[in-house]
Amino acid sequence: MTFTVVSSPTTWLDPLTDGKSRIELIASMGSDLDIVNDARASFEKSSPELSDKDIKLIHYLIKHQHTSPFRGVVFKFKVKAPLYVCRQWWKHVIASNHNDEQLGWNEKSFRYVAIDDSNEFYIPQVFRQQAKSNKQATEGALDATANQQAIDLYAAQCRASYEAYQALLNLGVGREQARGVLVPSVYTSWVWTVSLQAVLHFIGLRRGAGAQSEIGAYAQAIQALIKPIVPVAIEAWESCHDEF
């Protein structure tokens, strides 16, 4: 079984709908059939094509959290996201690595590549209020006047960050030090290689209650991108996660 390169123009999405964010499915390996065949490996049996019995087996595996057969289906994504989303994502990968040793992460380095466009920052168009009952969450939008003030302040800080960064480079400061003045909303990019098991774990957490909506938008996009490849597995998973 080898990786299949995905070339359809429908294999990428703009999760933050700002014309800058992007997640692209660039390759995949495996299918629903591989899940059931891996599950039956202990009996030394396999199916040549997906049957109704196989579909029921996938639903059973999802319902009872028998997840190891889902590690044999692998996806490779190219992601462009704000740095603070990237760091939250990376912490998830580290925390999950004991479940899946095939996670791969290769990220753009601002030591090697300079940003050359002040437009390379994520600026939210709707600002949320701090949740009263959850210290790490937000809830409800600011009123229109306060929201516009927040946008103006946020955008001004992004511009100032970029101007300071560019000025340091012009002075001859190396990229590895100049990058220190960039704010966390600057866009970065990386390639993520990950199993279906780990992807479903990621979606479940990042679309769950209390998750930050920006990373939740990427989780939703991932779910949409992989569903055509493993439709039965995603349908089974969604049936156990009705809130999604």
Side-chain angles (χ1 to χ4, degrees):
M1 187 163 53
T2 59
F3 271 94
T4 299
V5 177
V6 181
S7 58
S8 169
T10 61
T11 56
W12 70 272
L13 295 169
D14 176 4
L16 301 181
T17 63
D18 65 348
K20 307 174 195 175
S21 75
R22 183 182 178 102
I23 182 161
E24 179 183 4
L25 179 59
I26 57 177
S28 68
M29 181 181 74
S31 64
D32 287 318
L33 183 59
D34 291 289
I35 296 171
V36 296
N37 284 339
D38 286 356
R40 292 200 174 102
S42 57
F43 295 97
E44 205 172 356
K45 293 182 178 180
S46 63
S47 299
E49 59 183 28
L50 205 65
S51 66
D52 290 341
K53 186 177 180 180
D54 295 330
I55 292 171
K56 290 179 180 178
L57 175 58
I58 291 176
H59 278 261
Y60 178 88
L61 294 171
I62 290 284
K63 182 177 180 180
H64 296 280
Q65 299 183 13
H66 296 309
T67 56
S68 64
F70 296 86
R71 297 179 191 173
V73 178
V74 182
F75 301 99
K76 181 178 285 190
F77 299 97
K78 178 70 179 292
V79 188
K80 182 180 179 183
L83 186 61
Y84 68 86
V85 171
C86 175
R87 289 296 161 259
Q88 187 179 26
W89 201 316
W90 173 242
K91 286 192 293 182
H92 171 95
V93 169
I94 291 296
S96 302
N97 202 42
H98 68 280
N99 289 326
D100 190 348
E101 294 297 333
Q102 65 185 1
L103 292 166
W105 187 282
N106 296 278
E107 185 179 337
K108 172 183 177 179
S109 173
F110 287 117
R111 292 185 68 196
Y112 307 142
V113 181
I115 63 167
D116 55 5
D117 189 346
S118 60
N119 196 40
E120 282 296 292
F121 294 86
Y122 170 61
I123 301 175
Q125 294 305 297
V126 177
F127 281 86
R128 305 178 296 274
Q129 301 178 65
Q130 182 65 43
K132 295 179 180 178
S133 59
N134 187 334
K135 293 182 180 180
Q136 67 177 15
T138 54
E139 59 184 13
L142 298 180
D143 64 67
T145 300
N147 189 74
Q148 187 56 55
Q149 291 175 341
I151 291 174
D152 293 342
L153 286 168
Y154 200 104
Q157 187 63 24
C158 290
R159 287 194 299 270
S161 169
Y162 175 74
E163 289 168 2
Y165 172 76
Q166 197 62 54
L168 287 169
L169 293 181
N170 291 340
L171 287 171
V173 175
R175 287 185 293 268
E176 67 179 18
Q177 289 184 305
R179 62 182 173 167
V181 299
L182 295 173
V183 294
S185 59
V186 66
Y187 269 101
T188 188
S189 61
W190 66 99
V191 174
W192 188 38
T193 305
V194 62
S195 75
L196 176 58
Q197 178 204 18
V199 163
L200 293 178
H201 183 60
F202 176 84
I203 296 171
L205 289 180
R206 299 309 169 186
R207 295 197 66 191
Q212 184 169 332
S213 64
E214 284 83 3
I215 198 169
Y218 281 88
Q220 184 177 3
I222 289 171
Q223 189 173 336
L225 288 172
I226 68 173
K227 191 169 185 176
I229 296 172
V230 283
V232 176
I234 296 302
E235 180 185 353
W237 186 85
E238 289 173 343
S239 70
C240 294
H241 298 78
D242 294 335
E243 67 271 27
F244 301 135

